[in-house]
Amino acid sequence: MNTYNISLNKELAVLVDKQVKLGKFANRSEFFRQLLRHAFFSKTHTQEDWIYSEPFFSELQNRVSDIRNGKEKIINSKKFDKEFNL
């Protein structure tokens, strides 16, 4: 099985932990697997309803282009919080 690491801000982490308890998932990994199954395989919507649909897909393409061209930069969450006084 592949392993993926993600970082969540405090609010999302609290929300995930609540949902794990409410849904009686064995752990966070089970919760995220179910979330991904629903996002990608649910019959109530398709991938096109999500990230690949407009305006999201073109916005992602624009952002990647801006990053590659040096118009935007990627910073970690600590620098982001400091920059925006959060």
Side-chain angles (χ1 to χ4, degrees), residues 4-10 12-13 77:
Y4 295 90
N5 293 314
I6 64 168
S7 297
L8 302 174
N9 63 26
K10 184 179 179 180
L12 283 176
S77 61

Side-chain angles (χ1 to χ4, degrees), residues 4 32-52:
Y4 295 90
F32 280 106
R33 279 192 282 274
Q34 186 62 23
L35 187 65
L36 290 169
R37 284 184 198 106
H38 179 73
F40 289 111
F41 302 114
S42 174
K43 294 181 190 273
T44 60
H45 63 278
T46 64
Q47 284 183 350
E48 288 75 28
D49 292 334
W50 189 47
I51 198 165
Y52 300 108

Side-chain angles (χ1 to χ4, degrees), residues 12-24:
L12 283 176
V14 168
L15 180 62
V16 166
D17 288 339
K18 285 181 183 178
Q19 293 303 312
V20 168
K21 288 178 185 176
L22 285 172
K24 298 183 180 171

Side-chain angles (χ1 to χ4, degrees), residues 65-82:
S65 177
D66 287 347
I67 291 167
R68 287 183 178 155
N69 294 326
K71 294 178 185 174
E72 285 191 29
K73 62 181 180 176
I74 297 175
I75 60 174
N76 64 33
S77 61
K78 286 182 183 179
K79 288 182 182 178
F80 181 88
D81 289 350
K82 185 177 179 179

